[in-house]
Amino acid sequence: KKEGSGGEGAAVKVKAAREVAVNDIERSKLELDEANAQADEAWDFLRRVKGMKNSHNVEDRRQKVLEAKDERIGEHLGTILEIPKVIHTSSETTGSGTIDVNSPPKRHKCDKPEVIHVRLSRSKPPDRVGGRFHKMWDDVSSMGLQSKIDATPQNSKKGSTFEPIKKFQGHSAPVTQILVINQNRFLSSSWDKTIRLWDIDGGECLRVFQGHGDWVHSLCMGSNGHFFSGSDDRTIKMWNLESADCVLTFRGHSSFVKSLALLNSNHFLSGSRDRTIKLWMVGLDDCLSTFEGHADIISSIVPFGRNRFVSGSHDKTMKFWDVSSRSCLRTMYGHTGSVKSLTRVGDSEHLVISGSDDRTIRLWDVSTGECLREFGSRAAIVFSVTFICEGFFISCGGGKIQLWHMPSGSCVQSYDTPRISLAVACVDDERFITGSDRMLHMWEF
């Protein structure tokens, strides 16, 4: 009997060891998959930066030609120029070694040479007095261009290049999101695993929030001086804005946390690479509900009232959800690339704007699922969209920031930036902030 019981005990131990080994293998596979995903994201960012630098060189040469023939530009308004984008062989060096940006991982396909379409237009500085956005549109309308819906900058400074009025430096890796708290302060998250609190007027970093074990991708404001951050370490953290202390850590996602949104004063939502959206109660670390239906990363979430929200995903769709019934009310199709960003149109109960990898921006009616309008000339991937005021929103993609007039679908202002911009946020009706590789810039409309 003793020998029998001893054998049974050994069998139990072997079984337990086998289960641990299986779990370790699964965990290792997941971690390898996530490491590959981060490597792909970093590679994609480097490739875009390199491509943008080369395209700026082409633009510089084009501008010199235009300036030399300034007296003849009037004869060619509306002309389309086709300029080949030249990709030169070079490498990027990082702290961990040298990365050849022209030698991507085998899973990537080499990009085909692109053609840049540039429409020549009169240069005109933006209005700086009250009602600036509608004044911009009045200027465009007077030129008879209100019917154009091709994302062409019709009202821009000479050379379409604006200089930022302020720079914020402190992050040691690309900036992923910007959260404006008020006209005096804002937060930024980064691949450097930190969140920083900035003074807008002074340009100084007031506070650094440290605690995440991996890239920080998402931010959302809470109540009572708290905010939330989502990270590739699979956690969400609740922070005290003034003390920089982590108040609570939320665990439940099985992969990267890519998006956050405050549903109401007591609840918030998180979207993940694990293809789920989770509902949490502020102050409790237990997940209340899980919403499933997307087939890829949930990149953006926008609340509509206290019980409904819209999600955008890398599966190229958007979904309209009801929290009470925990059901998907509608799925919106139309984008042919990953949905990167969503923004609600003011206080509208049914309008949302989406930006995508397919190089377009779309306006949707979530109550019907209908796409009401498509913006863009497919010139660049759209990383972020932000509503400003009635009739206007801004987008960033590659090295370009654009101000859009919604009723007409026209771009009324375009800004060429020195660095690729991944995030944009509006401070007020005069200023906005963009985040790029390690730098943040503040601009004037």
Side-chain angles (χ1 to χ4, degrees), residues 149-304:
I149 317 174
D150 59 359
T152 304
Q154 304 291 355
N155 181 23
S156 59
K157 282 187 176 179
K158 190 174 183 179
S160 299
T161 300
F162 285 69
E163 292 298 324
I165 60 174
K166 192 164 293 183
K167 297 179 180 180
F168 305 84
Q169 190 168 3
H171 283 296
S172 59
V175 175
T176 54
Q177 190 168 351
I178 301 165
L179 176 63
V180 174
I181 300 170
N182 51 45
Q183 294 185 0
N184 301 314
R185 300 190 297 177
F186 72 92
L187 291 162
S188 61
S189 59
S190 169
W191 286 2
D192 65 12
K193 309 178 186 179
T194 71
I195 304 113
R196 287 176 178 264
L197 176 66
W198 302 89
D199 175 67
I200 292 178
D201 293 330
E204 299 176 349
C205 176
L206 302 176
R207 210 158 287 125
V208 180
F209 301 81
Q210 296 178 306
H212 278 298
D214 214 326
W215 297 355
V216 185
H217 273 284
S218 50
L219 300 169
C220 81
M221 201 63 203
S223 57
N224 301 319
H226 295 93
F227 73 92
F228 302 91
S229 61
S231 168
D232 280 6
D233 65 10
R234 309 174 196 168
T235 71
I236 304 156
K237 289 184 179 292
M238 179 178 175
W239 304 87
N240 184 299
L241 189 62
E242 301 306 323
S243 68
D245 292 330
C246 177
V247 179
L248 192 61
T249 298
F250 302 81
R251 294 179 173 86
H253 282 295
S254 60
S255 190
F256 306 157
V257 179
K258 291 289 191 179
S259 53
L260 293 172
L262 188 69
L263 185 63
N264 52 56
S265 59
N266 296 317
H267 302 90
F268 70 94
L269 297 157
S270 61
S272 169
R273 185 173 175 271
D274 65 13
R275 306 175 184 181
T276 70
I277 302 163
K278 291 184 180 291
L279 174 68
W280 308 84
M281 177 174 284
V282 176
L284 296 177
D285 58 0
D286 291 330
C287 172
L288 301 180
S289 299
T290 299
F291 301 82
E292 299 181 69
H294 279 297
D296 210 330
I297 297 169
I298 288 82
S299 54
S300 189
I301 302 172
V302 173
F304 275 82

Side-chain angles (χ1 to χ4, degrees), residues 345-363:
V345 178
D347 295 327
S348 170
E349 297 181 357
H350 56 91
L351 295 179
V352 66
I353 298 169
S354 61
S356 169
D357 260 1
D358 64 11
R359 301 171 182 254
T360 68
I361 302 166
R362 294 171 184 257
L363 174 66

Side-chain angles (χ1 to χ4, degrees), residues 9 26 55 72 93 117 164 170 202 205 223 315 325 353 391 400 402 428:
E26 292 300 320
S55 66
R72 298 177 57 189
T93 301
H117 296 273
C205 176
S223 57
D315 65 10
S325 63
I353 298 169
K400 193 175 291 293
Q402 294 179 307
D428 48 37

